[in-house]
Amino acid sequence: MEILHKKEGFICDMDGVIYHGNRLLPGVKEFVGWMQRENKRFLFLTNSSEYSPKELQQKLARMGLEVDESHFYTSALATAMFLKNQMPGCSAYVIGAPGLLNALYDAGVTMNDVNPDYVVVGETRNYNYESVLRAVTHVRAGARLIATNTDMTAPTEAGIIPACRAFVAPIELASGKSAYYVGKPNPLMMRTGLKKLGVHSENAVMIGDRMDTDIIAGIETGLDTVLVLTGVTQQADLELYPYRPTYILNGVGDLPPKA
């Protein structure tokens, strides 16, 4: 643990690590307070595409945690950057929440439900059969299928719920095309996170609750990894994976040095 305390940069997932839905998890205030006191560089890197950094900052504030907006980076922003770099001025048919739509608008991507260049899928509470039909039609007509992240499920206060990959699956099956997933564990998002931190991978750590996104992303980017057992992955699940995190903690509250 002493090695962890000396790290300069911390990349931290949010769902299942910092909160469940609108409930802050135990020890989070102490963990964030320690990073702030020690002048650690930290970034909340979330695969959720529903919210903008400002909305995430306000969400934490409502739960009693003050963090500057600059400490957030989302799969929606990563997806928007990817499309801007791939095809500047492109158009998209989007199944997603305002956080994704706003990120795409800001990147110069226009909305198009007639002949889009891309079909982009993220988490949304308005997922419906009509939108799936349109998405399948566009992909079969040649639109490229892009998804914000590979998470199949997400933890909430009410339990585990479907996430992006579950939403994309019917479109992939009906169109015969596989989506390109931009979020973790895609190295694109991790490299951007390290660049925003301004820290070398050897001096950074990835903290997450998912072996299949957070931990593998950290391993493949050369970071030490911390699995917390407050979200999707439990201790017994470790046997399902051929790789291991560097550390396993009950929650982020276990990370700050004890007085």
Side-chain angles (χ1 to χ4, degrees):
M1 287 288 283
E2 186 178 347
I3 295 174
L4 274 180
H5 299 153
K6 293 180 179 179
K7 295 288 186 181
E8 296 177 13
F10 292 79
I11 297 178
C12 190
D13 185 36
M14 299 193 74
D15 291 292
V17 177
I18 301 300
Y19 51 63
H20 283 174
N22 292 305
R23 177 171 62 85
L24 207 64
L25 289 168
V28 168
K29 287 185 178 180
E30 292 78 5
F31 168 59
V32 173
W34 170 72
M35 290 194 295
Q36 292 171 331
R37 287 193 307 275
E38 296 295 319
N39 294 315
K40 301 292 187 183
R41 300 184 184 185
F42 65 95
L43 183 69
F44 292 118
L45 192 74
T46 175
N47 260 358
S48 173
S49 60
E50 291 184 82
Y51 303 109
S52 67
K54 184 66 175 177
E55 288 169 328
L56 290 171
Q57 182 262 324
Q58 291 177 345
K59 178 175 181 174
L60 289 189
R62 288 193 293 271
M63 292 186 272
L65 193 60
E66 295 296 334
V67 178
D68 189 80
E69 184 181 344
S70 62
H71 291 285
F72 300 90
Y73 191 67
T74 72
S75 66
L77 293 173
T79 300
M81 180 186 294
F82 173 75
L83 294 189
K84 182 179 181 179
N85 290 336
Q86 285 281 301
M87 189 184 294
C90 65
S91 67
Y93 176 73
V94 183
I95 298 175
L100 176 57
L101 291 164
N102 291 335
L104 293 170
Y105 274 126
D106 290 345
V109 179
T110 55
M111 302 301 110
N112 179 352
D113 64 357
V114 178
N115 57 348
D117 300 303
Y118 295 94
V119 168
V120 181
V121 183
E123 287 88 4
T124 176
R125 299 174 190 275
N126 296 317
Y127 186 81
N128 59 69
Y129 185 61
E130 176 67 24
S131 62
V132 172
L133 287 181
R134 288 194 175 196
V136 170
T137 298
H138 294 320
V139 173
R140 289 180 66 88
R144 300 164 181 84
L145 181 58
I146 305 293
T148 59
N149 65 83
T150 61
D151 295 43
M152 188 71 78
T153 60
T156 70
E157 8 3 6
I160 300 296
I161 62 171
C164 183
R165 191 158 196 162
F167 294 160
V168 177
I171 301 169
E172 290 182 315
L173 291 169
S175 68
K177 301 290 179 64
S178 297
Y180 179 71
Y181 293 87
V182 177
K184 296 174 292 184
N186 191 323
L188 281 173
M189 192 167 176
M190 293 299 295
R191 282 201 293 268
T192 301
L194 283 172
K195 186 175 180 180
K196 288 177 75 69
L197 276 186
V199 173
H200 192 276
S201 58
E202 291 181 356
N203 286 318
V205 60
M206 177 73 210
I207 305 172
D209 70 312
R210 301 189 70 109
M211 289 288 288
D212 58 350
T213 55
D214 303 315
I215 302 306
I216 189 62
I219 290 171
E220 293 183 350
T221 316
L223 282 66
D224 279 353
T225 55
V226 176
L227 175 71
V228 293
L229 303 177
T230 47
V232 171
T233 304
Q234 298 304 305
Q235 187 86 41
D237 299 328
L238 290 173
E239 299 307 315
L240 301 174
Y241 301 92
Y243 49 88
R244 291 288 182 272
T246 316
Y247 303 91
I248 301 172
L249 302 178
N250 290 320
V252 291
D254 291 345
L255 200 148
K258 303 305 178 189

